Amino acid sequence: MKEDVRVYKTKKNIADAFIHLLGEKDFICITVKEICAFSLTSKSTFYSHYIDKYDLLEKLVRQHADSFKTGAMMRFQSIKQGNVNGVFEKILDQITEDKAVISALLDVHISSADFQVELESILYQTCLSFLEKESASQETSLDYLARMYAANSMVMIRWTLKNGKDKQAVNLVHQIQEFIFQDLLMIKS
Amino acid sequence: MKEDVRVYKTKKNIADAFIHLLGEKDFICITVKEICAFSLTSKSTFYSHYIDKYDLLEKLVRQHADSFKTGAMMRFQSIKQGNVNGVFEKILDQITEDKAVISALLDVHISSADFQVELESILYQTCLSFLEKESASQETSLDYLARMYAANSMVMIRWTLKNGKDKQAVNLVHQIQEFIFQDLLMIKS
DNA sequence: TTCAAAACGTTGCTTTTCGAACGTATTGCA
DNA sequence: TGCAATACGTTCGAAAAGCAACGTTTTGAA
């Protein structure tokens, strides 16, 4: 059963309004009334889709976290011949497509829906399982390497969202990634 | 009786889709089906608001021509002490606000709805009635001056829509306008 | 020129949205 | 602290949008 077009449009309007308001004020200060007014939807319609503004936030975070996870896993799986460079660059591209939403969500920190935490966790997980599967040597803790990868990626993501894609910055990340994946690279080459 | 929000949103979606499609292909080649598909509205809804795509075009032209006319008349009426400069600049600003729509409509030439013709006629009319009311001397044909004003304004409008507001170009228009309004300016100063 | 595919435009029925009204809960200010 | 204004969240009838099916017209390619 597919979603009714009207429902799709309504949800999009609400999400867009919400993201816009997040750019103006803190999540806590945003009211449902404002979201309805800005998105031109009635209160009754809002409440027929969401329990409250927290529910809206959680659903948005879930949606984009899932999409990010799918993308990240896909990229890691498609790595051939130890070609790890380029994976992160594609992740950056993906994130840039939804720049407005991602940027807004990254700055909201509600325990039930913390996008920043989710993203970093996804990066850590995907990187770790990749290392465990592909790396022969275990001299350095894979867990440590994966955490380092995730942390560095997050910095780079935030920076790119703010300043746009920059070749020098991307190169720097590549160097760090090469260090993290050096075991793997040595074996494969 | 105010317009239902749902109607407003539907019409906006349709208009936005239409303008977007006009940027891609000729008016003649655009189908109602495409407009509906892109705007995510159903055929039945489209036909409950418009007779056909020509009706849609005519209504858009009418709406923006009226808005332009109101703006132009307001600006001309607010001229004090022969300060004619600045009137056109504000008209330019107004047009720039709806850049996408205006640009698209200016390139469609359907006899029942020719935006280019309407704009030029409005500029001519408002300028002429201003000259007739304010100008004492009638050495030069006011009709000729008004037509010149309209023609020059149209060139400037098109140019600005394409290249953005440019100080030098604006200054040039000011010089031409000063020539057109010189009778008036001499009397008032 | 013929004919099939696509676009047109209409209709009846279903689902969604709106808006106003309501009582409740929060907020912010005197 | 007390109280008025504002936001919350729900309900229900009315209006609008969607959808599928239909016959008609236009289009474009054999």
Side-chain angles (χ1 to χ4, degrees):
Chain A
M1 166 186 112
K2 261 197 302 205
E3 189 183 52
D4 191 296
V5 216
R6 288 170 289 184
V7 174
Y8 170 81
K9 285 192 281 189
T10 299
K11 286 185 177 173
K12 177 144 189 21
N13 286 338
I14 289 176
D16 287 348
F18 180 57
I19 296 306
H20 175 264
L21 289 170
L22 273 180
E24 290 189 333
K25 49 170 75 176
D26 200 71
F27 172 77
I28 299 296
C29 302
I30 296 174
T31 69
V32 172
K33 193 182 182 179
E34 281 177 307
I35 298 173
C36 289
F38 198 84
S39 64
L40 297 181
T41 59
S42 70
K43 260 194 307 174
S44 51
T45 302
F46 178 93
Y47 286 113
S48 75
H49 294 300
Y50 306 102
I51 299 169
D52 50 28
K53 63 175 180 175
Y54 293 89
D55 187 38
L56 168 60
L57 175 66
E58 284 163 24
K59 281 177 172 149
L60 270 182
V61 166
R62 182 97 332 271
Q63 176 187 326
H64 285 92
D66 286 350
S67 150
F68 180 79
K69 186 173 184 176
T70 306
M73 287 176 71
M74 236 177 50
R75 316 271 189 234
F76 266 103
Q77 270 169 10
S78 70
I79 293 179
K80 299 290 177 207
Q81 319 295 345
N83 173 26
V84 291
N85 276 357
V87 169
F88 185 66
E89 207 166 341
K90 279 179 185 160
I91 289 179
L92 273 186
D93 290 341
Q94 185 190 345
I95 277 214
T96 308
E97 281 174 24
D98 293 316
K99 193 177 167 181
V101 201
I102 307 287
S103 299
L105 292 182
L106 274 178
D107 287 332
V108 183
H109 301 290
I110 301 293
S111 56
S112 62
D114 196 319
F115 193 58
Q116 140 90 32
V117 171
E118 294 234 31
L119 281 206
E120 189 153 354
S121 164
I122 289 167
L123 285 166
Y124 164 72
Q125 290 289 347
T126 46
C127 179
L128 181 61
S129 55
F130 174 75
L131 286 174
E132 283 172 345
K133 191 163 62 96
E134 299 284 336
S135 175
S137 142
Q138 300 222 354
E139 282 192 21
T140 321
S141 159
L142 296 184
D143 178 75
Y144 173 74
L145 291 176
R147 290 201 185 281
M148 197 163 112
Y149 174 82
N152 278 290
S153 298
M154 285 309 292
V155 172
M156 184 58 190
I157 284 173
R158 285 199 115 96
W159 195 87
T160 300
L161 285 173
K162 198 171 185 181
N163 308 298
K165 211 170 161 181
D166 180 87
K167 222 162 190 179
Q168 277 199 308
V170 171
N171 278 337
L172 185 61
V173 172
H174 281 175
Q175 284 173 24
I176 296 170
Q177 292 195 352
E178 275 173 22
F179 170 72
I180 292 173
F181 296 114
Q182 62 187 346
D183 283 357
L184 187 56
L185 293 170
M186 282 165 64
I187 294 163
K188 298 281 180 178
S189 59
Chain B
M1 166 186 112
K2 261 195 303 201
E3 189 183 54
D4 192 296
V5 217
R6 289 168 289 184
V7 174
Y8 170 82
K9 284 191 281 187
T10 298
K11 287 185 176 173
K12 178 142 187 24
N13 285 339
I14 290 176
D16 287 350
F18 180 57
I19 296 306
H20 175 264
L21 289 171
L22 272 180
E24 290 189 332
K25 50 170 76 178
D26 200 71
F27 172 76
I28 300 296
C29 303
I30 296 174
T31 68
V32 172
K33 194 182 181 180
E34 279 176 310
I35 299 173
C36 289
F38 199 85
S39 64
L40 297 182
T41 59
S42 71
K43 262 195 304 174
S44 54
T45 301
F46 179 93
Y47 286 112
S48 75
H49 294 301
Y50 306 102
I51 299 169
D52 49 28
K53 65 175 180 174
Y54 293 90
D55 187 39
L56 167 60
L57 175 66
E58 283 163 24
K59 280 177 172 148
L60 270 181
V61 166
R62 181 98 332 272
Q63 175 187 327
H64 285 92
D66 287 349
S67 151
F68 181 79
K69 186 173 184 176
T70 307
M73 287 176 70
M74 237 176 50
R75 316 269 189 234
F76 266 102
Q77 271 170 9
S78 71
I79 293 179
K80 300 290 177 207
Q81 319 296 345
N83 172 26
V84 290
N85 276 358
V87 170
F88 185 67
E89 205 166 342
K90 279 179 185 159
I91 290 179
L92 273 187
D93 290 341
Q94 185 190 345
I95 278 214
T96 309
E97 281 174 24
D98 293 317
K99 194 177 167 182
V101 201
I102 307 287
S103 299
L105 291 183
L106 274 178
D107 288 331
V108 183
H109 302 290
I110 301 292
S111 56
S112 62
D114 197 317
F115 193 57
Q116 139 91 31
V117 171
E118 293 235 29
L119 280 207
E120 189 154 353
S121 163
I122 288 167
L123 285 166
Y124 164 71
Q125 290 288 347
T126 47
C127 179
L128 181 61
S129 55
F130 174 75
L131 286 174
E132 283 172 344
K133 190 163 62 94
E134 300 284 336
S135 175
S137 142
Q138 300 221 354
E139 282 191 22
T140 320
S141 159
L142 297 184
D143 178 76
Y144 174 73
L145 289 177
R147 290 200 186 280
M148 197 163 110
Y149 174 82
N152 278 290
S153 298
M154 284 308 293
V155 172
M156 185 57 193
I157 285 171
R158 286 199 115 94
W159 194 87
T160 301
L161 285 172
K162 197 170 185 181
N163 309 297
K165 210 170 163 182
D166 178 87
K167 224 165 189 179
Q168 276 198 309
V170 170
N171 279 337
L172 186 60
V173 172
H174 281 174
Q175 285 173 24
I176 296 170
Q177 293 196 351
E178 275 173 21
F179 170 72
I180 293 173
F181 296 115
Q182 64 187 344
D183 284 356
L184 187 58
L185 292 171
M186 281 166 63
I187 295 163
K188 296 282 179 180
S189 59

